[in-house]
Amino acid sequence: MFYTHAMYLDSLAGIASGREVLGFPKVLAHPKLEVRNDALVGTLDYNGVRVATATMAYKYERLDLAAVKKTLEAPGFLLKILPHVDSSARVCELVRFVASDVTVKGAWTGPASLELHPHCFAPVAKLPVLEVLSAVHLVADISLVNGQVVHDYLAEGKSRQIASAQLTRSSKQGR
């Protein structure tokens, strides 16, 4: 089980489709992943400013592909928040999603490092990362099936608003 806080992508179509349907917290930025000799190097730039650099030993130690597949098939959770025109929350849901058609082509672990830099619109440096405990590099094909709303945080408020509106209407009709 995992939770996704933010996903930085450089594809507007990918951002719109994942954010609007399931609520993936996608942000337009410039991620880059490349092999530099014996290291895998990942960088994240937001509006031309470097906000993260990660390094990992490239193909250091193979992982069990069946175990990785099982992990990828575990449910994931997202907090889907869509604003109303007045900036209040129109949708605020905990959404569960599951990967299907998972084919793991390769998976490795190894020593890694992470460097985060402050940015007002990409606040990754505010994450309390004290130590990198593990790192995984994987190559896989994955499909996402439709999500399921686990909890609607506004449902109770909506019920109260509807009940309040009905009471107001009843009291006005009784006058």
Side-chain angles (χ1 to χ4, degrees), residues 141-152:
D141 292 330
I142 301 171
S143 297
L144 293 178
V145 296
N146 291 332
Q148 172 189 20
V149 176
V150 176
H151 184 75
D152 183 343

Side-chain angles (χ1 to χ4, degrees), residues 39-114:
L40 191 59
V41 179
T43 56
L44 175 62
D45 294 343
Y46 185 90
N47 289 337
V49 177
R50 178 69 36 94
V51 295
T53 303
T55 62
M56 177 182 169
Y58 183 61
K59 294 187 176 181
Y60 190 77
E61 180 183 333
R62 286 189 184 275
L63 292 173
D64 176 40
L65 299 185
V68 171
K69 180 179 179 180
K70 186 176 178 182
T71 300
L72 291 173
E73 292 173 332
F77 294 88
L78 303 163
L79 186 57
K80 181 177 182 178
I81 301 174
L82 299 177
H84 204 296
V85 293
D86 66 358
S87 297
S88 64
R90 182 176 194 145
V91 174
C92 188
E93 302 168 332
L94 183 64
V95 176
R96 178 183 184 267
F97 67 93
V98 179
S100 65
D101 304 323
V102 177
T103 303
V104 181
K105 298 176 179 182
W108 303 268
T109 188
S113 69
L114 177 64

Side-chain angles (χ1 to χ4, degrees), residues 123-147:
V124 295
K126 289 186 176 183
L127 296 170
V129 179
L130 303 176
E131 178 183 0
V132 175
L133 299 176
S134 68
V136 174
H137 167 222
L138 60 96
V139 178
D141 292 330
I142 301 171
S143 297
L144 293 178
V145 296
N146 291 332

